[in-house]
Amino acid sequence: MSEAVEQVSAVLQGMQAPPSLAPRLVAALGPAAASELAADPWLLLRLPQVTAEQADYCARRALGEAARPDDPRRLAALTAHTLRTAAARGHTAVEEKRLASLVGRLGVPAPARALEAAVEAGASAVFESTDDSDDDFDFEEGGVPDLPEPERFHALPDLGEAEQRLGGHLVRLISANDPVMDSATAAETVDAACDKGGFTVTEHTRAALVTVALRPVTVLWHGPGDAAETARALLCLAAIAEDSRVGITVVAPTAQTAAAVAADLAAVAQGDPGVRVLSLAAALRQGPIPSGLVVLCESMAVGTARAADLAATCADGAHLVLLADPRQAPSATPGRVAEDIVRSRTAHTAEIAGPEDDGAPGPIAALALAVSEGEVPEVDAPGREVVRVPAATAEEAAHRVVQLVTDSIPRALGIPAGEVRVVTAREDGPAGARALNAACKERLNPGPGALGGFDPGDAVLLVAAGPGYGPGDTGVLRGPVEGGVEVELADGAKVTVGDPAALRPGWALTVGAAHGGRWPAVVGVFPPDVPVSRPRVYTVLTRALRHVSLVDATGGGLETGVRETLAPDRVTRLVQILREG
């Protein structure tokens, strides 16, 4: 145990809080966590599992009569706690009146004072927006109506600034508005690339590629069966970039998706496609991107903060393209970037659509499309591309999962266990990610956990950013190296991870952690009594390249959730920022 953890443990014991919270508090507060916590016990609320009542109890134990309900430290902590809860649900900001109402429900008699205390303590930042859209203006009434009063939003400082920064860089790119090529030349270049590659693209795709050449920021929608058409489109964009001498950079959220996109390109090109696909972490590590075309694949998985980092690296005059499947769940981190760009009407939208004469979509795409329409039918899967596995209990579901990963899928389909990922709808419980990771490790790579709880050969998930890696990357831990441990990512890159807190077991992932990744085989798990939504099921299905097994222990809840439950709305400010820019 580190000295910082020991010191925090002692402080926790003094306030009758579980010492087991110490490592997480050190991770959240830093090396001075003990002194900070002793001075402000309400910092316990930095941990999502701590409630306001528990923090108040600990504060009374630590401070005695000095722990007053109107203590500015308490007011600021409760406000920040509310903002963190909202961020965990995907919101980037909370409207001021709404925030005051939520804080008031925590027993704060003067919520406005709590909001002020949070701003004064630097725990919250205030942003004002005046949406100057003329959607509601009625000019027939005479004159131009007065602009509405600015709306005030509160946000966690880092998150609010990230959204502001993202909007600013998007406005910078949009304002340049210089075409890479004129429309006629772009269309001719697309046709020439198709002739050279021995393939064709649909008229929808051809028009979309011309839009990219003309417009500085474009959202390209696509569907679950469009992987080959998307690869053909990327090869055509590479030809446009080459002919116009601006260069192209293709980016994916994770190393495993970068490898999958690269494989799609090689399959269409029937060899070296001449286009390198980088993970987002690798692209950001290289610094400013000099290319005139920057394409982000699987952009629905990228939240506000990471999108801001990417936009900031784009050169002035670059064209940014977001490839997105609108049926997917929103990102696991706050924001809804692609959707907000479209809603702002400050950029352009086009569609990639594969040829109808390719025949019916494959079994995985067919099931995903049905789910997107609210149904979970049986699909024809002659190659066992889709398998439904019913289970009566969570324990039975867990047993089926381990059987599928360690035996059935490798034996029947020839897909090694290391290329199978379990994607489960919850973190805890008998069929949650934590328990399934323990079960998979016991079967696939048992060991003492000598490297901070891990062993060489373990599948790992990266949950933090570092040199060459980012949240959502998965790989295999290879062993100790100077400065930490070496992890080999799915695209073959080897990175050094110095902080053990950046690693989690990676055989089984939650849906949020898996979003942005793609694997040859996926085992989707839906335990009993877990909320099921249409976008989450769709996202699980579209993580699979060749095979998906659905282990369903919901007792009909899967069908009901797909039919009735859509993604909850998110409060964001990006639309207003873009319109005001």
Side-chain angles (χ1 to χ4, degrees):
M1 183 181 295
S2 70
E3 182 179 355
V5 171
E6 290 179 350
Q7 292 172 345
V8 172
S9 296
V11 175
L12 290 171
Q13 288 176 338
M15 60 179 65
Q16 295 187 359
S20 59
L21 298 177
R24 298 175 191 177
L25 284 166
V26 172
L29 302 176
S35 59
E36 292 182 13
L37 186 62
D40 183 358
W42 287 285
L43 288 175
L44 282 167
L45 288 170
R46 288 291 298 272
L47 302 183
Q49 65 267 42
V50 176
T51 67
E53 292 79 8
Q54 290 168 335
D56 282 339
Y57 172 83
C58 292
R60 288 192 296 270
R61 298 296 304 176
L63 303 177
E65 293 182 359
R68 298 174 54 84
D70 61 351
D71 189 310
R73 294 170 294 181
R74 177 176 186 266
L75 299 180
L78 289 173
T79 303
H81 172 70
T82 303
L83 290 173
R84 282 191 294 273
T85 301
R89 295 172 179 167
H91 307 296
T92 60
V94 181
E95 193 273 328
E96 186 168 79
K97 292 180 180 178
R98 172 65 174 164
L99 180 60
S101 175
L102 293 171
V103 172
R105 294 178 190 176
L106 297 176
V108 176
R113 177 64 192 120
L115 270 58
E116 293 172 2
V119 173
E120 291 169 1
S124 171
V126 179
F127 300 89
E128 290 188 347
S129 294
T130 302
D131 190 347
D132 60 359
S133 169
D134 61 1
D135 291 351
D136 299 321
F137 288 1
D138 186 355
F139 293 100
E140 293 182 2
E141 294 295 325
V144 178
D146 294 333
L147 289 175
E149 289 294 321
E151 287 186 282
R152 286 171 61 87
F153 292 86
H154 290 245
L156 296 170
D158 289 349
L159 180 55
E161 291 298 335
E163 191 163 36
Q164 199 73 29
R165 185 162 53 95
L166 171 60
H169 283 295
L170 288 174
V171 168
R172 169 177 63 86
L173 297 175
I174 292 168
S175 299
N177 203 28
D178 294 325
V180 171
M181 278 183 174
D182 64 74
S183 57
T185 305
E188 291 172 0
T189 303
V190 169
D191 293 339
C194 290
D195 290 342
K196 180 180 178 181
F199 57 78
T200 61
V201 296
T202 65
E203 283 303 314
H204 267 103
T205 301
R206 189 171 183 266
L209 298 174
V210 172
T211 299
V212 169
L214 294 174
R215 307 302 181 188
V217 177
T218 308
V219 175
L220 289 186
W221 297 129
H222 63 84
D226 294 332
E229 184 74 355
T230 299
R232 292 190 283 264
L234 288 173
L235 291 176
C236 291
L237 286 178
I240 289 174
E242 181 179 3
D243 286 2
S244 59
R245 298 181 182 179
V246 299
I248 186 171
T249 296
V250 179
V251 182
T254 61
Q256 56 269 25
T257 296
V261 173
D264 289 342
L265 291 172
V268 171
Q270 298 182 345
D272 183 2
V275 180
R276 186 183 177 195
V277 186
L278 300 174
S279 71
L280 180 53
L284 295 176
R285 187 182 188 187
Q286 292 185 3
I289 298 175
S291 304
L293 275 178
V294 180
V295 183
L296 174 63
C297 304
E298 288 276 357
S299 63
M300 288 290 287
V302 179
T304 295
R306 298 288 279 175
D309 291 340
L310 177 63
T313 66
C314 293
D316 291 345
H319 285 210
L320 177 63
V321 183
L322 303 182
L323 282 166
D325 183 342
R327 305 165 187 84
Q328 291 179 10
S331 58
T333 53
R336 52 180 186 189
V337 176
E339 295 169 289
D340 278 349
I341 291 173
V342 171
R343 291 180 186 184
S344 74
R345 299 195 299 277
T346 59
H348 288 76
T349 308
E351 181 182 3
I352 287 176
E356 295 181 359
D357 57 8
D358 272 359
I364 296 175
L367 180 56
L369 287 169
V371 164
S372 74
E373 297 174 355
E375 300 177 354
V376 191
E378 296 293 335
V379 296
D380 185 24
R384 300 182 183 179
E385 295 89 348
V386 176
V387 174
R388 297 283 297 275
V389 183
T393 65
E395 290 78 8
E396 182 184 352
H399 174 74
R400 298 295 184 198
V401 168
V402 175
Q403 188 178 48
L404 286 163
V405 173
T406 63
D407 177 48
S408 300
I409 292 175
R411 176 171 45 82
L413 301 175
I415 300 175
E419 296 181 7
V420 182
R421 278 299 177 276
V422 179
V423 181
T424 178
R426 67 186 311 160
E427 176 69 36
D428 54 4
R434 191 175 292 111
L436 293 173
N437 271 311
C440 288
K441 176 172 174 58
E442 183 180 354
R443 289 288 301 274
L444 295 171
N445 195 49
L451 300 175
F454 297 93
D455 296 292
D458 278 354
V460 292
L461 165 71
L462 282 300
V463 296
Y469 62 86
D473 278 332
T474 56
V476 178
L477 191 148
R478 293 304 182 195
V481 294
E482 183 178 354
V485 295
E486 184 178 73
V487 174
E488 183 175 356
L489 303 179
D491 61 356
K494 294 181 179 179
V495 298
T496 298
V497 181
D499 184 1
L503 290 177
R504 298 285 188 277
W507 284 284
L509 315 175
T510 62
V511 180
H515 199 358
R518 292 163 64 187
W519 296 272
V522 165
V523 178
V525 191
F526 295 90
D529 303 321
V530 63
V532 176
S533 72
R534 186 183 304 176
R536 284 167 65 84
V537 176
Y538 182 92
T539 301
V540 171
L541 294 172
T542 53
R543 300 309 89 209
L545 298 172
R546 293 171 51 192
H547 170 84
V548 63
S549 289
L550 282 183
V551 180
D552 178 12
T554 63
L558 180 66
E559 286 80 3
T560 301
V562 166
R563 183 173 61 251
E564 299 178 357
T565 307
L566 303 179
D569 199 13
R570 294 184 168 189
V571 177
T572 60
R573 298 178 45 254
L574 184 58
V575 171
Q576 291 97 320
I577 295 170
L578 291 174
R579 288 177 175 175
E580 293 168 5

